[in-house]
Amino acid sequence: MLDGVSLDQLRTFIAASDEGSFSAAARLLRRSQSAVSEMVAGLEAQMGVMLFDRTGRYPQLTVAGRVLLADARGVVAGVDFMKARAKGMSSGLEPELSVVVDVFFPMDRMTAVAAKFRETFPHTPLRLYVEALGGVFQPLLDGRASIGIAGPLPDLPPSMSSEALGDIRFLIVAAHDHPLARIDGVIPREELARYIQLVLTDRTNLSAGKERGVMSPLTWRLADLYAKHHFLLGGLGWGGMPLHTVRADIDGGRLVELRIEGIAHGGADMPMTVVYPTTEPPGPAGRWLIDRLKLCPAGCIRR
């Protein structure tokens, strides 16, 4: 008998519970009270349990009714979600949006855009990867992600298209008690070579042989920006970091910007780009995400 339970019955059951009476549910559903009563009674007969106690003036949920009401809501919500997703897919909306983000990209900006994305596309799940260097491109090449937000490394694979997203500020820092931080004025590059440089390394082979920004023969390589940040704070070396990740440390005196020969004080701009497979451009949700990331407030990404 349970196989014959219909969504109409479940919606009527939910309405009777939410409205507090069969008559109020009838008005909500634009049906007669008798039709609602028969629908609920039929559901009770099929399930073999009483959903409402009808001894009082208004029907009250039984213990079984309260338990099964939650199940009914779950079934109806699941079907509604499936219908909404199918409708979106039929119009070209992605069933899921997978994005891989360079670790240098400001995550507060991505979070703000993701919050708006949830409101605009409530039935499109967002899958987010955070990678560095060639790791941004690998999920795109593997088909695990449809959109990437990449820094300048490595070179763009020939199968990818790109759009400019803006710049982030990148600067060289060291702990306040590091020997390089105690040097007044501009630091010669030969002086840098005397100390360990902390370098973010690639988990993939896509940037093999394409090192940029390495200025010391003494390098420690870390595949995680969080670890690099802590090593810098611990005085284990010097290295480059996005300004938005170390601003609080600089303001608090824990890290110091190093004035390096040939590098402007205040750091340099690092371009960020949106990348995606040329043969599979973003759908409506992906296009919306890209456009919102480009509408970045001052202080986050500077165009």
Side-chain angles (χ1 to χ4, degrees), residues 61-86:
L61 284 171
T62 63
V63 173
R66 286 194 293 272
V67 173
L68 293 174
L69 177 63
D71 293 336
R73 292 190 193 279
V75 171
V76 171
V79 172
D80 288 343
F81 183 87
M82 182 179 68
K83 289 166 62 179
R85 178 179 285 186

Side-chain angles (χ1 to χ4, degrees), residues 244-294:
H244 60 268
T245 64
V246 295
R247 188 189 301 273
D249 297 307
I250 292 174
D251 292 343
R254 294 178 293 276
L255 291 176
V256 175
E257 179 189 358
L258 303 181
R259 298 186 62 183
I260 308 298
E261 177 186 3
I263 299 178
H265 181 62
D269 288 334
M270 173 183 288
M272 303 297 292
T273 57
V274 175
V275 295
Y276 46 82
T278 302
T279 58
E280 297 180 34
R287 186 72 261 167
W288 183 96
L289 185 77
I290 293 171
D291 291 342
R292 292 311 180 280
L293 287 173
K294 289 181 178 181

Side-chain angles (χ1 to χ4, degrees), residues 10-35:
L10 296 180
R11 293 186 193 278
T12 302
F13 170 36
I14 294 170
S17 173
D18 290 346
E19 298 301 314
S21 70
F22 293 163
S23 59
R27 289 191 293 272
L28 176 69
L29 299 174
R30 297 184 179 180
R31 295 179 176 176
S32 66
Q33 181 175 340
S34 61

Side-chain angles (χ1 to χ4, degrees), residues 134-183:
V136 174
F137 296 100
Q138 197 63 60
L140 296 170
L141 297 171
D142 294 344
R144 290 180 288 123
S146 55
I147 296 173
I149 298 173
L153 294 174
D155 295 335
L156 185 69
S159 61
M160 298 290 164
S161 294
S162 65
E163 300 179 25
L165 190 57
D167 299 331
I168 63 170
R169 181 65 71 169
F170 192 82
L171 70 169
I172 309 297
V173 297
H176 69 94
D177 55 354
H178 190 280
L180 290 174
R182 299 171 183 168
I183 298 177

Side-chain angles (χ1 to χ4, degrees), residues 59-126:
Q60 300 292 321
L61 284 171
T62 63
V63 173
R66 286 194 293 272
V67 173
L68 293 174
L69 177 63
D71 293 336
R73 292 190 193 279
V75 171
V76 171
V79 172
D80 288 343
F81 183 87
M82 182 179 68
K83 289 166 62 179
R85 178 179 285 186
K87 182 178 180 181
M89 292 170 64
S90 67
S91 64
L93 182 65
E94 303 94 323
E96 178 182 83
L97 185 62
S98 296
V99 182
V100 55
V101 182
D102 193 295
V103 69
F104 287 160
F105 190 78
M107 194 50 65
D108 57 350
R109 177 57 184 162
M110 177 57 69
T111 302
V113 173
K116 293 295 183 181
F117 180 89
R118 182 181 60 180
E119 297 174 5
T120 307
F121 301 97
H123 303 298
T124 302
L126 181 64

